[in-house]
Amino acid sequence: MALTLTDESLLKARLHALGLDGAGAADTEARSTGPERVRGVVAHLFALQGQDWRSSRWAVGVRAPGTTSADVVAALNAGAVVRSWPMRGTVHLVPAEDIGWMQQLTNPRVVAGAAKRRAFLGMSDAVLERATEVSLAALAGTSLTRTELSQAWTDAGIDWQPSWRYHLIWWLCQNGFTTFGPVSERAAAQADPEPRLVLAEEWIPRPRSLAGDDALAEFAARYVRGRGAVSRKDLASWAMLPAASAARGLALAVEQGAIVEARREGVTGVAGALWAAPDALAAADSAASGVDQDRWQLLPAFDEHLLGFSDRSPQFDAAHLGQLIPGKNGMFLATVVRGGRAVGTWRRDPKTRAIVCSPFAGEQLDLNALAGAVPPLAAFYGDPEPELALATP
């Protein structure tokens, strides 16, 4: 019989799978080096939001205590992790060997609107074809920044517009020609250099090859393993897969024993159906009483704690969405989390470097309790320990 989960036990399952419950779910192999632990976190989560380069590194670090930002860079430089677009047209950190087959599975929906976007930008197919040709030649045997690659277009006589660059680079990566891999040590003048573009076939020597039902089953199992108890809608939304494909992937993963079925208490029918990895259900059903309400965390912007789900109600009250995404533009702020639930946002003051926290309406932030989350964050980036402050009304 499928285990029935209350909202609290559902939250426990998710925190365990996300590596945010202190039990180290994403680092169970006790890897000996920082870069290996980084790779383990990314592999466990399958893919984690990476559009904000600085934030994506802390998304790894908060799940692997003792690692540093340099360890994340080292994992990319070693070719263990890449930064690219595996789905939804959104940048993620992904295990290098997985990016290719993930894109082959998810690309049909993602690239379907590319021609319309180029038409809006005023970019012809001829320009796309020529820019692709020049890019592949320029990247052969080397790595380039975005600026260096676009200079190669100019040098080749391509008449391109600044508004086209993002789309062209996205197209190259989304279709598996290129990826963001190494972070140059020569970029000392740049405070926080992003990964550089490389040819995927050169940078990833042993890509995995999965297709059809094998790819669907693997995709579903890996997503579920890194998110805890989830619904079919959660998977379909996260991957931008058709509902039928998401359902088949989950069914195949259950048949293989990779995940098991559960139900959400008080929700009948298909809407109440959940899937989880066995260890996440064990954490949810453990004898320990509830979620640790004394556990305060500073999570980065765009963290999978919230973005990995279509229904994030166990972790977040939707009434606060305007404070979480103040511009209504998809830019999720960094969050203050207590007991697994987001209770406010935080930011770095650009002048004082203090961490300034803003509680959600009706929530209270205990700065003394939250102070314990500051030293790991500072140590991760190698920064001086900042002060904590509440935002002024």
Side-chain angles (χ1 to χ4, degrees):
M1 180 179 295
L3 181 67
T4 298
L5 301 179
T6 64
D7 281 355
E8 184 176 29
S9 59
L10 175 54
L11 177 59
K12 287 174 66 178
R14 289 183 171 180
L15 294 176
H16 180 81
L18 286 163
L20 294 174
D21 64 350
D27 199 33
T28 55
E29 296 182 29
R31 294 169 175 83
S32 59
T33 71
E36 288 173 337
R37 296 178 67 203
V38 166
R39 196 270 172 196
V41 168
V42 176
H44 175 87
L45 288 177
F46 192 32
L48 59 89
Q49 293 278 329
Q51 58 264 60
D52 185 296
W53 170 227
R54 184 176 176 86
S55 294
S56 66
R57 282 174 284 160
W58 178 233
V60 176
V62 74
R63 293 167 167 84
T67 59
T68 65
S69 178
D71 291 327
V72 180
V73 169
L76 270 87
N77 285 346
V81 174
V82 296
R83 186 168 176 245
S84 192
W85 287 265
M87 63 222 165
R88 301 200 317 272
T90 304
V91 180
H92 288 74
L93 294 182
V94 185
E97 70 273 14
D98 289 319
I99 183 64
W101 71 265
M102 291 175 73
Q103 290 173 329
Q104 290 174 15
L105 179 66
T106 62
N107 267 9
R109 280 194 164 189
V110 176
V111 301
K116 185 177 181 180
R117 177 61 180 169
R118 288 194 293 276
F120 174 80
L121 293 171
M123 184 196 312
S124 68
D125 289 344
V127 167
L128 175 66
E129 184 177 345
R130 178 62 177 150
T132 299
E133 177 186 0
V134 169
S135 298
L136 299 186
L139 285 165
T142 190
S143 65
L144 298 174
T145 66
R146 297 173 191 248
T147 299
E148 290 167 344
L149 181 61
S150 57
Q151 183 60 47
W153 304 336
T154 300
D155 293 344
I158 299 174
D159 184 14
W160 63 279
Q161 304 299 318
S163 60
W164 297 358
R165 188 171 76 170
Y166 182 90
H167 182 86
L168 287 169
I169 291 175
W170 165 79
W171 175 263
L172 290 167
C173 289
Q174 188 74 63
N175 286 281
F177 298 123
T178 64
T179 187
F180 286 97
V183 181
S184 175
E185 296 178 358
R186 296 174 296 175
Q190 190 175 346
D192 209 11
E194 288 189 313
R196 297 165 65 86
L197 284 155
V198 290
L199 293 181
E201 65 178 7
E202 291 183 352
W203 189 249
I204 307 172
R206 290 179 294 277
R208 297 184 66 198
S209 179
L210 293 171
D213 281 354
D214 290 338
L216 275 176
E218 174 83 356
F219 200 105
R222 295 277 293 279
Y223 166 73
V224 171
R225 187 183 72 179
R227 302 300 179 284
V230 297
S231 69
R232 183 181 66 188
K233 184 179 179 181
D234 288 330
L235 170 58
S237 175
W238 187 77
M240 214 170 92
L241 284 173
S245 296
R248 180 157 181 78
L250 290 167
L252 290 167
V254 169
E255 288 179 11
Q256 295 174 1
I259 59 175
V260 294
E261 298 180 49
R263 291 208 60 83
R264 189 168 185 175
E265 184 178 71
V267 182
T268 60
V270 175
L274 298 172
W275 289 262
D279 66 300
L281 283 188
D285 198 36
S286 67
S289 57
V291 175
D292 182 5
Q293 293 299 317
D294 294 325
R295 186 173 180 79
W296 289 80
Q297 294 164 302
L298 293 170
L299 298 188
F302 302 103
D303 194 82
E304 291 294 319
H305 173 248
L306 297 183
L307 271 74
F309 309 87
S310 63
D311 176 9
R312 55 180 74 98
S313 57
Q315 305 100 285
F316 173 73
D317 186 341
H320 306 313
L321 195 61
Q323 289 177 270
L324 179 67
I325 317 173
K328 298 181 180 180
N329 55 2
M331 302 298 286
F332 283 65
L333 300 183
T335 52
V336 178
V337 173
R338 182 192 182 192
R341 286 186 61 84
V343 293
T345 64
W346 66 273
R347 61 178 177 84
R348 283 291 192 108
D349 185 284
K351 294 183 178 179
T352 68
R353 304 302 294 164
I355 292 178
V356 181
C357 303
S358 302
F360 290 143
E363 299 283 0
Q364 297 292 322
L365 300 185
D366 183 342
L367 293 190
N368 290 328
L370 184 57
V374 175
L377 174 64
F380 177 80
Y381 288 116
D383 294 337
E385 194 170 314
E387 295 184 358
L388 267 178
L390 284 174
T392 54

